Amino acid sequence: MIPMHRKACAVATALYMLIVSSVPVAPADALEEWSRFARSPEARALVDWAHCALAQGLAGTQCASPFPGNLPAFYGRNGVFVTLVRGKRVRGCYGAFHHASESLEEVLRDYLGGALRRDGRYPPLEVSELGETRVVITITGMEYPVDDISALDLARSGVVFSMESGAKLLFVPAEIKSIDYLKKRVIMKSVVQVAAFRAVSIR
């Protein structure tokens, strides 16, 4: 189990109803800047940098793409997750709601490394897969309680399941496949709490 402040992630989609304890929610405008950014030309530059940094971490190649400037604020406001996707298959996902650095570049490099090597659900990405692998950066709000997950827009929301064992299973929109897929990943009868979080995917 990865500690609460830093955890692997998976797909956000489910039909399950549960009342959970209150969790602070990020301000409503905390994601608005990132939502606007995701629709801007600068978003492509961030994704290009992320793929370049991924290649550097995996194959040791030099990364010529500069880290873009003038990004929205994130520290203390937003969660950050990195998902590696090859075709329709997730090849790694890693991130956190709270971060060890105020530098987004440092945070993304750390989480890229986590998606590459520290997500035990998937075998490590091979160099031969690099050209076909996309990097999806997910910026999130904080967790908040939900009564009915079926009412969520799962293209823009993620879900966290708290299990009887104490483990937490976190799912981000970048990994969404189907409800059946989720049911294979989560033993629903062992879920004791459910929370959701708003999410912006930068592809």
Side-chain angles (χ1 to χ4, degrees):
M1 174 182 172
I2 297 176
M4 273 293 300
H5 67 285
R6 185 164 301 183
K7 55 182 88 112
C9 46
V11 180
T13 182
L15 282 175
Y16 192 76
M17 299 175 65
L18 192 60
I19 298 173
V20 298
S21 58
S22 177
V23 182
V25 182
D29 63 350
L31 279 181
E32 278 304 309
E33 292 175 62
W34 281 106
S35 183
R36 288 191 292 270
F37 175 82
R39 300 189 296 269
S40 72
E42 289 77 15
R44 182 69 255 173
L46 180 60
V47 172
D48 287 345
W49 171 87
H51 194 275
C52 188
L54 176 68
Q56 186 177 37
L58 182 60
T61 58
Q62 284 296 109
C63 182
S65 297
F67 188 79
N70 300 319
L71 299 177
F74 81 101
Y75 190 80
R77 303 172 63 189
N78 302 106
V80 178
F81 295 84
V82 172
T83 308
L84 309 180
V85 182
R86 183 191 179 205
K88 295 183 179 181
R89 295 181 58 202
V90 174
R91 295 295 284 106
C93 188
Y94 203 81
F97 290 109
H98 305 285
H99 319 288
S101 172
E102 296 183 24
S103 165
L104 185 58
E105 180 176 1
E106 290 183 9
V107 167
L108 286 174
R109 284 189 183 278
D110 182 19
Y111 297 169
L112 278 164
L116 271 175
R117 303 181 184 90
R118 303 199 291 276
D119 185 351
R121 298 169 305 153
Y122 305 100
L125 192 73
E126 300 287 345
V127 174
S128 60
E129 299 178 273
L130 187 57
E132 299 175 341
T133 299
R134 295 178 291 115
V135 179
V136 181
I137 298 167
T138 303
I139 307 296
T140 80
M142 299 301 167
E143 297 170 89
Y144 62 91
V146 293
D147 296 330
D148 184 359
I149 293 178
S150 65
L152 293 172
D153 178 354
L154 293 171
R156 296 179 176 86
S157 298
V159 181
V160 182
F161 294 96
S162 296
M163 312 302 289
E164 287 179 345
S165 65
K168 285 185 176 275
L169 304 179
L170 185 148
F171 299 84
V172 298
E175 296 180 287
I176 289 177
K177 293 181 181 179
S178 67
I179 292 172
D180 287 341
Y181 170 85
L182 184 67
K183 288 180 177 179
K184 291 177 182 178
R185 303 301 299 267
V186 179
I187 302 173
M188 302 304 288
K189 65 181 180 181
S190 297
V191 174
V192 295
Q193 289 185 336
V194 182
F197 53 89
R198 294 168 56 221
V200 173
S201 299
I202 302 171
R203 303 172 184 269

